[in-house]
Amino acid sequence: MKKVVLFSFSCVLMMLAVSYTNDQFKSSSLKAAFKHKFLIGVSLNNGQIWGRDTAALKIIKTHFNSVVAENCMKIVSLQPREGQFRFRDADQFVNFGEKNKLFIIGHTLIWHSQTPDWFFVDADGNDVSREVLIERMRRHITTVVSRYKGRVNGWDVVNEAILDDGSWRKSKFYNIIGEDFIRLAFEFAHAADPKAELYYNDFSMAQEGKRNAVVRMVHKLKGLGLKITGVGMQGHLGLDYPKVADFEKSILAFSAAAVHVMITELDITVLQNPGRSMGADISQNYTYKKEMNPYAAGLPDSVAKILEQRYVAFFKLFLKHQNKISRVTLWGVTDGDSWRNNWPVFGRKDYPLLFDRQYKAKPVVQIISEMSLME
Ligand code: G3I
């Protein structure tokens, strides 16, 4: 009898050991570690989409279960001239996502930036009428969303339409159409693919003014009976901004407005912005000076540690609110790919992502994976 008990006990111990080993093994893949929590995504550049960057492909396939197009689905890429659509890169992106069974995000249908000038002017260079701009929006959105109907799972329908203080960004879309352009964009997208998820996406979402304005906008769209599935909180973060508590307030506020929350475009810069801006306004641009590029020769361990702690703090927050967050997406695969190296100063060396320039996972990958597995 004693022998049987002892034998059963050692079997249980062995099973526990095997399952621990499996968990350890699983923790080397982000998507396995976050499996029952939220999707873990990454943005793809053209080198990755076309398979030229084979080392990055290995990381993407191992670690991520969602992808978003970093650039190839912006208006300037898809319709550089009126009526001349170019789908080569976007088609390849969607094919890649489907082939690898990834949750595919289209970015972005309407954005004040990266929209060619022709979109807003007539043959004489004067601003077009409200009706003409609405028709151009309708045609663009309908053509693009219909092409990928049932294939692209979710769209960033409108990007960055609100300023940090909560006022409307005075873009051409806003100036010519008025705030209605947001409603119209969601209507056109929904009509073209009724099943696609539809999102509003913006940076600096931890700012109180922006948070409140986004909540108002969500209520308004919902009140009109429109579909808005989620709000994307771009995670362009720094070592000392925003406060985790402010970011949390926004997660709670958006979730209370009955939309999914997504952390999109996650990266954490170790560099200072010469203008002290905490956003991601692409129009900012400063001339390079050597002293603005302090880590050109490598990142000191002390700073790498602070970066790691920031990632841990934010992932702790995301795990805490896993029932409200449907996806966390990194804005780039390796440090070498990141837009942060060139904004707002061209040619700096930043270290904002989870994989380094040698395609090696930073220690934080293991740490956040284990945090998730232990939840
Ligand atoms: O493709 C051309 C290439 O042919 C040319 O040789 C080269 C010369 O500079 O430019 C290349 O295009 C660049 C493109 O990135 C691809 O690398 C554009 O100049 C550059 O402006 C563009 O920057 C992108 C930026 O959006 C503007 O579209 C960044 O990669 C991209 O990370 C960034 O992403 C935005 C999100 O869409 C919205 N939220 C903020 C985020 C960061 O700015």
Side-chain angles (χ1 to χ4, degrees):
M1 179 64 182
K2 238 183 189 175
K3 268 186 186 166
V4 174
V5 172
L6 263 176
F7 177 73
S8 316
F9 183 64
S10 45
C11 281
V12 170
L13 275 180
M14 266 168 66
M15 278 161 66
L16 279 175
V18 168
S19 106
Y20 178 72
T21 315
N22 281 344
D23 277 356
Q24 289 294 71
F25 174 69
K26 276 185 207 155
S27 72
S28 62
S29 158
L30 286 168
K31 67 181 173 191
F34 290 104
K35 191 168 175 198
H36 300 294
K37 311 298 184 345
F38 36 70
L39 291 170
I40 182 94
V42 69
S43 66
L44 302 188
N45 63 29
N46 281 353
Q48 293 148 359
I49 290 168
W50 286 100
R52 293 190 293 271
D53 189 348
T54 49
L57 283 189
K58 228 174 135 190
I59 296 177
I60 296 159
K61 291 179 189 176
T62 305
H63 288 282
F64 297 99
N65 48 23
S66 173
V67 282
V68 56
E70 184 179 6
N71 285 308
C72 72
M73 285 183 155
K74 292 171 180 172
I75 300 186
V76 70
S77 306
L78 288 178
Q79 200 186 172
R81 274 172 288 282
E82 184 162 19
Q84 295 183 16
F85 285 87
R86 285 202 210 147
F87 287 114
R88 223 177 137 257
D89 295 335
D91 283 355
Q92 179 67 15
F93 164 73
V94 176
N95 289 340
F96 176 89
E98 282 187 324
K99 204 171 142 217
N100 293 288
K101 301 190 172 36
L102 304 167
F103 192 87
I104 304 172
I105 308 297
H107 170 88
T108 168
L109 295 171
I110 295 296
W111 187 24
H112 66 278
S113 183
Q114 315 302 301
T115 301
D117 291 344
W118 71 259
F119 215 90
F120 305 108
V121 295
D122 62 19
D124 300 322
N126 299 317
D127 278 359
V128 290
S129 65
R130 189 173 189 274
E131 289 65 35
V132 170
L133 186 53
I134 290 174
E135 175 51 22
R136 287 180 181 175
M137 273 181 56
R138 193 200 59 74
R139 184 180 184 199
H140 182 82
I141 293 174
T142 308
T143 307
V144 173
V145 177
S146 308
R147 185 178 185 90
Y148 301 115
K149 183 175 177 181
R151 302 177 67 201
V152 166
N153 303 89
W155 287 97
D156 286 340
V157 178
V158 177
N159 199 40
E160 301 169 12
I162 297 170
L163 297 176
D164 291 3
D165 65 2
S167 62
W168 294 106
R169 181 187 291 282
K170 306 301 177 295
S171 67
K172 288 273 184 184
F173 288 111
Y174 178 85
N175 288 342
I176 297 174
I177 300 176
E179 65 180 87
D180 244 12
F181 85 87
I182 296 181
R183 168 182 71 79
L184 290 163
F186 277 88
E187 273 178 18
F188 297 149
H190 183 54
D193 186 354
K195 289 198 180 138
E197 295 192 352
L198 305 179
Y199 318 127
Y200 175 76
N201 189 50
D202 212 330
F203 58 77
S204 294
M205 292 287 241
Q207 300 271 345
E208 191 181 0
K210 191 171 283 202
R211 177 195 306 137
N212 294 338
V214 171
V215 167
R216 280 197 300 276
M217 186 189 70
V218 169
H219 284 313
K220 184 156 184 199
L221 293 176
K222 282 184 174 263
L224 291 168
L226 293 178
K227 174 173 179 176
I228 171 165
T229 321
V231 165
M233 299 176 66
Q234 293 180 22
H236 296 302
L237 314 175
L239 293 184
D240 55 4
Y241 68 84
K243 286 192 186 134
V244 174
D246 290 338
F247 206 86
E248 180 171 33
K249 279 185 196 160
S250 298
I251 294 175
L252 295 171
F254 300 147
S255 172
V259 280
H260 294 165
V261 179
M262 286 149 301
I263 314 305
T264 61
E265 309 189 16
L266 179 60
D267 53 27
I268 305 182
T269 184
V270 297
L271 299 174
Q272 293 286 340
N273 183 316
R276 301 277 164 227
S277 155
M278 293 180 285
D281 201 324
I282 198 74
S283 63
Q284 271 189 37
N285 185 6
Y286 298 90
T287 312
Y288 179 91
K289 287 195 193 112
K290 204 165 171 244
E291 59 269 26
M292 293 174 177
N293 192 19
Y295 310 127
L299 193 65
D301 287 348
S302 56
V303 184
K305 200 75 209 156
I306 300 173
L307 175 66
E308 181 177 293
Q309 285 163 354
R310 276 298 267 180
Y311 262 115
V312 168
F314 275 95
F315 269 92
K316 211 169 165 188
L317 179 72
F318 304 156
L319 286 168
K320 179 177 172 191
H321 295 298
Q322 58 186 266
N323 60 338
K324 302 176 177 61
I325 294 175
S326 57
R327 171 169 54 92
V328 175
T329 288
L330 275 297
W331 201 238
V333 180
T334 73
D335 287 342
D337 303 322
S338 174
W339 73 294
R340 291 287 205 172
N341 295 303
N342 295 313
W343 180 90
V345 182
F346 192 85
R348 298 199 292 181
K349 204 165 178 188
D350 207 342
Y351 301 80
L353 294 167
L354 295 180
F355 294 85
D356 69 18
R357 285 173 170 77
Q358 283 70 49
Y359 297 88
K360 207 168 148 252
K362 297 182 185 176
V364 72
V365 169
Q366 185 70 18
I367 299 173
I368 56 176
S369 298
E370 281 173 8
M371 272 164 53
S372 181
L373 289 168
M374 272 154 47
E375 280 271 317

